[in-house]
């Protein structure tokens, strides 16, 4: 279909698309239009990576806005929100306003109410709904990007419940759900009452295969020589081979450490072939990267970049990542070694993709586990740059003949898995049941169950009793902790329950904080407060490395008087989790005391992006603790406020009065991928007010750490 044939879209759009080189719709896009996406029909598009899903969303949003509506684009990661905003900003030339919700409700609310297109993560949207943002009721179109993530145990339930709430609030809303190719897209379409576009069309040929020995074995049965000399590594041989053909390589590995080590080695491989112009541009880029933060990670990245390689993972700051992605798109960088977390969503096509590690550490099984077919297909989908490469090639690596066969069976001949709702896990429901009641979507047990009927979980399960059983357990917990009251079938949120829901806290975090503050007899110290918020399920705690148990146990005894609530004994099971919280709190204290960033990254074995992540989460939790203290009538709010200010800017106590200035003495880093969200997660610390934690773990549910 030619773009000039598009109807129901704004008049300016066809010419605008043509200016961008889009003259004809890709087949899945044309199919979405035929099914009514520009006329307000809901559509699920299950289409391979890089096959133009964004344009399907744009057609829906722009035609909806042209009819006087308002559109919301939900992204799975904060890092992607700014990328989408940049993409949509071109609509502003045509009088549309585009905004991103960062979650600062007071300052944003009025402005977002005037925007035509709003970009936000599902957690932000969930939070906006809880806080009663009036414009939510005006939405006419909602796009859910990467909707297959409903399968994700930690983030999926929020997306699922948020879509259910938006549809309940706006019964006529058009839902456009964009998914990678999955095994059961028809289930998503049934859940969302949507038309289905299910296609495996790609704009550029993808050849998948496995490298083994001295050859690439491709899926069409052909083989091509790709020799590995002497003690050369397979990845190095492939990167050299791609470079000889003028292409770039994206290498997926399974950990940050591996990404950094591989980038160092592969940068040495590509550096010999750099041209003078490239070298000069890479030198400048390396300086820019070094200036982003004073850490070893930043320096290591700069060193690799100077030689034409880079690593990409969630420990980098947002600024680092976008510098790397831009230089890769500009072809100055020849190789990126990435962990799959972010790279799956970021648009960095590459001539060749190498999936070097197909196993990854998985805490739920306590060891290495194979990646899903869906994940590997998404990584492979990054191969091939339309218009630049004749085809894309994605390779897995085998060390033995058996592995060669296994990889073909697992990832090449196999269709991707279906997605499965994770809503019935208790930690997820605990949060969402409270929010559903507090934000007025249900005022009785039967009303709550009726609401839950609208979720994907209900669509997928034949076992109807499970959801109501879990819901009842959760209701009991929420009542026992004073978040809800019940009277027969009727349910009502208490003032505390409303506050917890609006603060976007996991109710279990709120219970831990309230309990800690209530048990505190003297004005709490900043360190005591840090340890308290670090032991809530809303904080991703640092691991204890071997030998650290002793160090932190010593610290625990040294500062015993500062902790809020009971310190478990060394012989109790929860002691180790409590110590991890202590380690995380110590990091916050070091930051507040202005210990140099590189000493912190060294001491705790983390990247600069992680520090920002912990600091952001701590700020949010301390802000919440301050509100909770007032809500339950405790006098500790000023002490909590002070501890939050200290961690906000990394400032010592004696300097607090001097700092109207933000960020004194620190290079300010960009946003990180670790968003403060109330993800469902395993409960950790036991608490007198709640049932024993063993009853809170759903079998098979992965723990956060
Ligand atoms: P996906 O979201 O499916 O991964 P994108 O929407 O990011 O893929 O599209 C990948 C690339 O294809 C983008 O650079 C986009 O501009 C381009 N593109 C999309 N549709 C067309 C089209 N009909 N003709 C030419 N290029 C297109």
């Amino acid at each position: 279909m030619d773009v000039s044939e598009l109807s129901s879209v704004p008049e300016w759009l066809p010419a605008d698309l043509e200016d961008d080189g889009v003259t004809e719709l890709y087949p899945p896009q044309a199919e979405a239009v035929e099914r009514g996406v520009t006329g307000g029909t809901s559509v699920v598009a299950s289409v391979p990576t890089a096959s133009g899903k964004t344009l399907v969303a744009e057609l829906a949003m722009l035609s909806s806005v042209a009819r006087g509506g308002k559109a919301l684009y939900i992204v799975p990661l904060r890092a992607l929100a700014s990328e989408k905003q940049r993409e949509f900003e071109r609509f502003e030339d045509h009088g549309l306003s585009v905004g991103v919700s960062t979650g600062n409700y007071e300052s944003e609310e009025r402005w977002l109410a005037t925007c035509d297109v709003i970009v936000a993560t599902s957690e932000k949207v969930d939070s906006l709904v809880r806080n009663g943002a009036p414009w939510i009721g005006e939405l006419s179109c909602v796009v859910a990007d990467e909707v297959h993530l409903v399968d994700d145990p930690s983030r999926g339930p929020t997306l699922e419940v948020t879509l259910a709430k938006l549809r309940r609030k706006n019964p006529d809303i058009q839902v456009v759900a964009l998914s990678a190719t999955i095994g059961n897209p028809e289930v998503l379409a049934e859940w969302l009452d949507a038309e289905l576009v299910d296609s495996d069309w790609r704009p550029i040929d993808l050849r998948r295969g496995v490298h083994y020995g001295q050859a690439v074995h491709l899926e069409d049965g052909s083989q091509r020589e790709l020799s590995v000399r002497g003690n050369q590594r397979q990845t190095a041989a492939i990167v050299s081979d791609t470079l000889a053909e003028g292409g770039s390589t994206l290498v997926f590995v399974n950990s940050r450490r591996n990404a950094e080590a591989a980038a160092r080695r592969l940068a040495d491989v590509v550096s010999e072939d750099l041209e003078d112009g490239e070298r000069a541009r890479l030198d400048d880029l390396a300086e820019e990267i070094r200036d982003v933060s004073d850490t070893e990670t930043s320096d290591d990245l700069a060193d690799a970049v100077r030689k034409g390689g880079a690593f990409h993972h969630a420990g980098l700051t947002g600024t680092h990542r976008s510098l790397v992605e831009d230089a890769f798109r500009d072809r100055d960088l020849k190789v990126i070694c990435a962990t799959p977390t972010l790279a799956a969503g970021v648009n960095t096509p590459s001539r060749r993709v190498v999936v070097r590690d197909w196993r990854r550490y998985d805490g739920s099984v306590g060891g290495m586990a194979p990646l899903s077919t869906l994940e590997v297909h998404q990584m492979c989908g990054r191969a091939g740059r339309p218009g630049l490469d004749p085809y894309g090639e994605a390779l897995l690596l085998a060390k033995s003949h058996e592995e060669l066969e296994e990889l073909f069976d697992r990832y090449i001949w196999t269709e991707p898995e279906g997605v499965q709702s994770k809503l019935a896990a208790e930690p997820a429901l605990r949060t969402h049941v409270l929010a559903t009641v507090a934000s007025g979507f249900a005022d009785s047990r039967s009303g709550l169950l009726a609401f839950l009927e609208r979720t994907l979980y209900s669509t997928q399960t034949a076992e109807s009793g499970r959801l109501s059983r879990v819901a009842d357990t959760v209701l009991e917990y929420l009542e026992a902790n004073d978040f809800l009251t019940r009277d027969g079938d009727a349910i009502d949120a208490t003032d505390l329950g409303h506050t917890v829901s609006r603060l976007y806290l996991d109710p279990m975090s709120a219970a831990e904080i309230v309990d800690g503050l209530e048990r505190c007899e003297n004005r709490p110290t900043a360190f005591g407060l840090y340890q308290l918020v670090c032991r809530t399920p809303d904080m991703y705690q640092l691991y204890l490395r071997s030998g650290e148990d002793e160090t932190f146990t010593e610290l625990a005894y040294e500062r015993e008087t500062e902790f809020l609530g009971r310190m478990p004994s060394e012989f109790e099971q929860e002691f180790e989790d409590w110590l991890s919280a202590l380690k995380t709190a110590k990091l916050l204290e070091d930051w507040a005391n202005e210990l140099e960033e590189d000493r912190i990254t060294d001491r705790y074995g983390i990247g600069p992006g992680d520090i920002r992540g912990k600091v952001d989460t701590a700020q949010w939790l301390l802000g919440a603790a301050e509100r909770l203290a007032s809500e339950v009538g405790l006098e500790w709010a000023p002490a909590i406020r002070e501890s939050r200010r200290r961690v906000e800017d990394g400032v010592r106590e004696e300097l607090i009065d001097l700092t109207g200035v933000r960020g004194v003495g620190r290079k300010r880093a960009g946003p990180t991928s670790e968003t403060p969200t109330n993800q469902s997660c395993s409960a950790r610390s036991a608490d007198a007010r709640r049932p024993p934690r063993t009853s809170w773990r759903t079998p098979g549910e992965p723990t956060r750490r």
Side-chain angles (χ1 to χ4, degrees), residues 21-22 24-26 29 48-55 347:
V22 178
E24 208 181 326
L25 293 184
Y26 287 159
Q29 296 166 341
T49 312
S51 300
K53 288 191 282 292
T54 313
L55 182 56
N347 186 15

Side-chain angles (χ1 to χ4, degrees), residues 3 20-26 29 47-56 73 83-84 87 145-146 178 201 203 344 347 349 382 386:
V3 295
D20 277 350
V22 178
T23 50
E24 208 181 326
L25 293 184
Y26 287 159
Q29 296 166 341
V47 181
T49 312
S51 300
K53 288 191 282 292
T54 313
L55 182 56
V56 174
Y73 192 104
E83 181 171 308
K84 285 296 163 197
E87 253 179 279
D145 197 358
E146 312 254 358
L178 309 176
W201 182 89
N347 186 15
R382 290 275 156 234

Side-chain angles (χ1 to χ4, degrees), residues 211-228:
H211 183 268
Y212 169 56
Q214 305 292 330
V216 170
H217 303 249
L218 289 163
E219 57 188 318
D220 61 5
S222 67
Q223 289 181 20
R224 187 163 32 79
E225 185 181 346
L226 199 164
S227 26
V228 182

Side-chain angles (χ1 to χ4, degrees), residues 37 46 118 144 152 186 231 262 332 345 356 556 586 608 616 631 634:
V37 82
S46 169
I118 296 165
D152 183 290
E186 66 289 343
N231 57 0
D332 286 336
R356 195 196 73 176
K586 185 70 186 127
D616 284 354
E631 183 74 47
L634 293 167

Side-chain angles (χ1 to χ4, degrees), residues 408-428:
F408 263 94
D409 281 348
R410 218 178 244 285
Y411 299 117
I412 296 184
W413 304 138
T414 308
E415 292 299 313
E417 300 82 359
V419 296
Q420 175 67 45
S421 165
K422 300 293 189 291
L423 186 64
E426 284 164 9

